[in-house]
Amino acid sequence: MRAPLPSAPDKSPESTPAALFFRDAEQVLTLAGPPVPRRGRDLADLGVVPGGSVLVSGPSIAAIGRRRDLEAEARRLQAKVIDCRGRVVMPGFVDSHTHLVFAGSRVEDYERRLAGATYEEIARAGGGISYTARLVAEASPRSLESQARRFLDEFAAHGTTTVEVKTGYGLEVESEIKLLQVIRALAREPRAHAPAVGPVFSPARVGIVPTLLAAHALPASYRGRRTEYLDDVIVRLIPFAARRKMAEFVDCFCDRGAFSVDECRRLLTAGAAHGLIPRLHAEQLTRTGATRLGIETKAASVDHLDHLSTADIRALARSNTVATLLPGVNLHLGLKDYAPARKLVDAGAAIALASDFNPGTSPTLNMQFILSLACDAMRLTPAEAISAATINAAYSLRREREIGSLEPGKQADVIVMNVDDYRNIPYYVGLNHCAMTVRKGRVAFSKRLGDG
Ligand code: NIG
Ligand code: FE
């Protein structure tokens, strides 16, 4: 009889044993390898261990291998056995681009677009980012946090263990600071505790990586005063976020109707001078040269990339800047063209996949669905898409030594997928295959499956 998975969601810190033994998986996807992004053919190498088992001790991976080689140690640790027969065990998804904190929705924009208006037309007519920013300005920190927490539970339920979270719907400095504070509250890990028996730590269900999206849209109050706005962001907002360590990255929306390459260069350079690592919304609506700016400023990632030139693709392939693709946006905006994923991979660029979860252009947080889009609409293989959504995304967040693969010593961010072959994850599109999510060795989500 198959042992039932521990029931959850369970908020009590005492409920997860200090060791877990994921036993007899059909496939363990280790993604093992050097802590560098996977390119070209290496992108498809998932380090599959057929019939493998994974032993987790406390917050870390202890060992991966055959059941018989791990069993004695699992017994010594009194590990809770999780029967993974017929299932795939793999690293949790790393979602490296989201706008998690917002108020309200943009379902009105959605209907206007379905009736024929474009994203840019709606933005010019007062919808779009400015609409969400007005709602955020009125929202209390507590309501922003509680909406975001509900979404974080959904991330965990769909197998995501790390989420990059951008500010950006504040626009005004004060409102951006409010968002930084909400993100800090979401990222807080409960204090470590050391009971006589049971776990010795109590992490949050999903890890948060904070990014200051320093320029998203010009606030209405600064109309005609662009330079003054940028000065304010540089003098007040960037130093505030950096000094208090409220952000690790600085981002800008570099595009037609948003901010120019020169404006973004100023902001990214100012951020970098304060220790914030650049990343960039680039070439989404049109080609502006933002990709080159990203490479020039040693950005960790340039994101979207719908309008790349052949020379841009070559430049990315020569750089360590990750090309992050967000196909959820193309689907939701009803675009027929997608970013040139195949060309990027074949040229040797390091690609990542992310949800871009936000109310305006990508209201999905399901990374399994993003894998399906990456395969069905961008012609990646399932293996390439999985590497892009785990180890390469971790690299783009400068977390490649902690997360993104299952290797002894790394953080135990492990998911159990209810499929017997990893290719079925994107193949059975639109389903949630996630049976269990473990972050830092603690159960963040578990579906109770029938025995047998
Ligand atoms: O990544 N491109 C800019 N920012 C978001 C969209 C924000 C919005 O429309 O609310 C994006 O697509
Ligand atoms: Fe975005």
Side-chain angles (χ1 to χ4, degrees):
M1 210 170 81
R2 195 201 296 260
L5 297 169
S7 59
D10 191 338
K11 294 195 199 275
S12 85
E14 273 71 39
S15 62
T16 307
L20 297 170
F21 190 25
F22 298 89
R23 208 172 65 182
D24 295 329
E26 199 65 33
Q27 300 172 325
V28 174
L29 316 184
T30 65
L31 282 293
V36 294
R38 309 296 147 80
R39 300 169 189 265
R41 282 173 193 281
D42 290 347
L43 191 65
D45 181 2
L46 298 180
V48 179
V49 182
S53 297
V54 178
L55 182 60
V56 164
S57 174
S60 316
I61 309 273
I64 297 166
R66 309 294 302 185
R67 168 181 176 172
R68 61 174 174 275
D69 298 328
L70 307 185
E71 219 147 31
E73 182 63 2
R75 258 197 306 273
R76 194 185 69 74
L77 293 170
Q78 296 182 310
K80 165 92 187 167
V81 172
I82 296 151
D83 184 349
C84 296
R85 277 176 298 170
R87 299 184 180 124
V88 168
V89 171
M90 60 179 283
F93 293 113
V94 177
D95 193 344
S96 56
H97 182 142
T98 84
H99 305 251
L100 167 67
V101 188
F102 57 87
S105 91
R106 293 256 286 286
V107 75
E108 312 295 336
D109 288 8
Y110 183 45
E111 286 207 311
R112 275 186 247 169
R113 264 191 305 94
L114 297 177
T118 68
Y119 178 72
E120 288 176 277
E121 283 163 1
I122 292 167
R124 280 196 296 271
I129 295 168
S130 326
Y131 171 80
T132 302
R134 285 199 295 279
L135 298 185
V136 163
E138 289 160 13
S140 68
R142 185 194 274 268
S143 69
L144 291 167
E145 187 184 329
S146 78
Q147 170 167 304
R149 278 195 193 285
R150 285 199 297 277
F151 287 129
L152 281 176
D153 285 346
E154 291 297 327
F155 276 98
H158 288 82
T160 297
T161 45
T162 301
V163 180
E164 184 255 18
V165 179
K166 301 177 194 297
T167 66
Y169 289 121
L171 307 185
E172 306 270 359
V173 171
E174 287 66 30
S175 201
E176 278 291 297
I177 288 174
K178 175 167 79 175
L179 292 180
L180 284 168
Q181 284 160 343
V182 169
I183 295 171
R184 169 157 282 180
L186 293 170
R188 204 164 286 139
E189 306 255 344
R191 270 163 50 94
H193 63 285
V197 269
V200 291
F201 55 90
S202 178
R205 286 163 182 238
V206 179
I208 305 280
V209 179
T211 293
L212 177 69
L213 177 43
H216 203 186
L218 187 72
S221 60
Y222 284 83
R223 194 158 297 143
R225 300 188 293 136
R226 292 182 77 82
T227 312
E228 223 174 291
Y229 177 61
L230 298 183
D231 289 347
D232 251 13
V233 170
I234 289 170
V235 173
R236 294 169 57 211
L237 183 57
I238 289 176
F240 180 95
R243 269 194 221 115
R244 288 169 179 75
K245 301 207 178 315
M246 294 174 102
E248 293 178 37
F249 295 93
V250 59
D251 193 345
C252 300
F253 184 13
C254 188
D255 221 313
R256 176 172 72 197
F259 293 89
S260 71
V261 167
D262 286 338
E263 289 171 336
C264 293
R265 181 182 287 106
R266 261 194 84 196
L267 289 170
L268 296 183
T269 312
H274 281 86
L276 303 179
I277 303 168
R279 45 198 324 118
L280 199 53
H281 283 71
E283 336 286 10
Q284 178 186 4
L285 306 171
T286 185
R287 187 182 177 282
T288 62
T291 300
R292 300 310 181 89
L293 173 65
I295 295 169
E296 171 196 321
T297 55
K298 298 201 170 14
S301 173
V302 286
D303 302 34
H304 286 283
L305 310 182
D306 293 285
H307 300 277
L308 286 180
S309 71
T310 308
D312 292 336
I313 294 175
R314 264 192 254 115
L316 275 169
R318 284 193 302 270
S319 79
N320 286 323
T321 296
V322 173
T324 299
L325 309 177
L326 311 167
V329 174
N330 302 61
L331 179 81
H332 185 69
L333 296 186
L335 308 176
K336 71 175 190 330
D337 293 324
Y338 284 70
R342 207 46 286 146
K343 286 185 183 162
L344 283 160
V345 174
D346 295 342
I351 65 152
L353 284 166
S355 70
D356 195 7
F357 178 59
N358 78 75
T361 65
S362 188
T364 183
L365 50 73
N366 180 355
M367 285 297 285
Q368 300 166 61
F369 179 59
I370 297 298
L371 297 185
S372 298
L373 284 178
C375 297
D376 299 347
M378 302 199 301
R379 313 323 286 175
L380 293 184
T381 67
E384 290 172 331
I386 288 172
S387 298
T390 53
I391 189 67
N392 278 16
Y395 178 85
S396 92
L397 297 178
R398 301 286 187 260
R399 297 274 196 290
E400 69 279 6
R401 289 176 193 278
E402 291 99 54
I403 58 174
S405 64
L406 302 181
E407 296 177 81
K410 279 187 106 168
Q411 193 166 303
D413 289 5
V414 183
I415 59 176
V416 180
M417 302 300 269
N418 207 12
V419 289
D420 58 6
D421 180 319
Y422 69 83
R423 295 173 300 178
N424 287 331
I425 300 170
Y427 172 74
Y428 286 110
V429 54
L431 300 188
N432 182 13
H433 304 286
C434 184
M436 182 186 243
T437 303
V438 167
R439 173 169 183 264
K440 285 194 178 175
R442 297 288 314 279
V443 177
F445 166 78
S446 172
K447 223 185 244 180
R448 186 181 275 281
L449 301 175
D451 294 350

